[in-house]
Amino acid sequence: MTNSKDIREYIELIDHCLKEAVKAGNQYEKELQETMEYSLFTGGKRLRPLMTLKAYEMYDSYIHNAMPYALAIEMIHTYSLIHDDLPAMDDDDFRRGKPTSHKKFGEAMAILTGDALLNLAFQTLFKAGISCNDKSAVRAGYEIAKASGHSGMIGGQVLDILGEKRKITEEELFQMYRGKTAALIQASILSGAIAGGASEEDVETLRSFGEKLGIAYQLQDDLLDLDEDSEIEKSTYLSFHGQDETREMIQALSDEAISLLNGLEHLDTKFFQDLTGELIHREV
């Protein structure tokens, strides 16, 4: 599904707009342009910005209106990966087969590149809000900001770090999954839907869908990374349950997510229905 011709065209559009967004304005910005492009274009699937555009498209066909939110999401996701790879965090030397940012450019530039992408994300969101002067733009940006911060992605990352130092509870584990993984997936969907004019009822249904999809996505990651996580004694769902139970939980969450989409009978949810199945059965 994500390899179809129309999806590839969406991804090409996202890539083009990302290149335009980080383009250097003067010679002093060129080094940052190089480091930002290096991490933005490492072969990522563009899953989150794609969800933003497709969520918007359920309400309105002119997806260019949703592009600022899609770009901001991808910038935030990329900055988080850069910082995750740092020696003080996961200390990874490679990502998607390429040297990580700090290995390529040094720790200082990696930190600054992540900072630059985070700030550019919010610059992009504020610019969108100013240009359309619409309360929905502010709310869409708020969902992204909240999902990225202490009660979302960063809070989840904190729990992830704690889980490497001590045994966390299963309740804490799910809180970590909601923050580190599900929150940005939720925001990807919600920002697009809100910008497109979704009703309050739709927003809350999609919020629940995004959480269930995000947790199922992370559980599938746990299965795929089982050997690696065991080596570093990292807390995952598999620290509490076996592989068969984990697969059952993934399927249950997937079924619940699909049921939520089925309740949105007035919308074309086929993309998200197909995506749910694809993500929980992926092998990489």
Side-chain angles (χ1 to χ4, degrees):
M1 186 274 303
T2 52
N3 289 321
S4 64
K5 182 176 182 294
D6 63 319
I7 295 301
R8 289 198 300 271
E9 289 174 353
Y10 277 70
I11 292 172
E12 287 171 6
L13 178 60
I14 292 166
D15 286 350
H16 170 76
C17 292
L18 281 169
K19 281 187 177 291
E20 289 298 310
V22 301
K23 189 175 290 185
N26 57 58
Q27 67 183 57
Y28 305 108
E29 297 173 10
K30 287 191 182 298
E31 273 199 59
L32 262 180
Q33 178 184 340
E34 179 186 357
T35 59
M36 286 192 288
E37 284 186 347
Y38 180 81
S39 291
L40 281 168
F41 296 94
T42 56
K45 298 175 183 176
R46 304 297 189 223
L47 174 63
R48 291 159 188 80
L50 189 55
M51 286 193 286
T52 302
L53 298 184
K54 297 302 276 187
Y56 180 90
E57 196 174 41
M58 291 193 296
Y59 298 92
D60 192 312
S61 61
Y62 191 68
I63 60 169
H64 292 275
N65 286 339
M67 189 59 74
Y69 313 104
L71 299 182
I73 286 282
E74 189 68 359
M75 291 171 188
I76 291 168
H77 176 58
T78 303
Y79 116 79
S80 75
L81 298 181
I82 294 172
H83 283 191
D84 270 355
D85 290 336
L86 288 167
M89 299 280 280
D90 290 344
D91 195 14
D92 285 324
D93 292 346
F94 294 92
R95 180 170 289 279
R96 301 185 184 114
K98 294 174 62 177
T100 49
S101 182
H102 70 276
K103 283 294 180 181
K104 177 78 171 178
F105 303 104
E107 287 184 43
M109 279 303 296
I111 292 169
L112 290 171
T113 299
D115 292 344
L117 284 168
L118 175 61
N119 281 278
L120 182 57
F122 286 99
Q123 180 182 327
T124 303
L125 291 174
F126 285 130
K127 185 178 179 181
I130 292 168
S131 64
C132 70
N133 193 27
D134 187 335
K135 188 176 179 180
S136 65
V138 177
R139 186 174 176 196
Y142 169 77
E143 291 287 350
I144 293 172
K146 183 179 179 183
S148 306
H150 73 283
S151 61
M153 180 183 69
I154 292 176
Q157 289 171 323
V158 169
L159 279 169
D160 195 16
I161 290 172
L162 291 176
E164 294 177 11
K165 298 176 181 177
R166 66 169 174 83
K167 185 174 177 61
I168 63 175
T169 66
E170 191 168 353
E171 181 181 349
E172 288 175 317
L173 181 77
F174 273 98
Q175 185 58 39
M176 178 182 82
Y177 288 171
R178 289 187 191 97
K180 185 176 180 181
T181 305
L184 210 58
I185 287 175
Q186 276 182 308
S188 301
I189 298 166
L190 292 177
S191 58
I194 290 168
S199 68
E200 197 61 39
E201 185 177 357
D202 285 3
V203 167
E204 293 313 309
T205 298
L206 290 169
R207 189 186 303 279
S208 296
F209 165 73
E211 179 176 296
K212 293 180 187 302
L213 177 63
I215 295 174
Y217 180 88
Q218 182 57 59
L219 290 174
Q220 182 66 12
D221 262 4
D222 289 351
L223 285 174
L224 295 173
D225 296 339
L226 178 59
D227 293 337
E228 180 183 336
D229 290 339
S230 297
E231 286 177 12
I232 61 175
E233 298 183 354
K234 185 176 182 179
S235 295
T236 72
Y237 189 76
L238 288 149
S239 305
F240 302 91
H241 302 278
Q243 294 184 47
D244 288 342
E245 288 179 277
T246 303
R247 292 188 181 93
E248 288 172 5
M249 175 61 78
I250 292 169
Q251 190 61 57
L253 287 166
S254 172
D255 291 344
E256 291 170 13
I258 294 295
S259 179
L260 286 165
L261 292 177
N262 287 337
L264 298 171
E265 296 177 349
H266 56 294
L267 299 175
D268 180 2
T269 62
K270 185 178 186 307
F271 170 82
F272 289 102
Q273 302 238 11
D274 291 346
L275 181 67
T276 300
E278 184 173 312
L279 291 182
I280 69 163
H281 294 119
R282 73 191 189 283
E283 297 298 328
V284 292

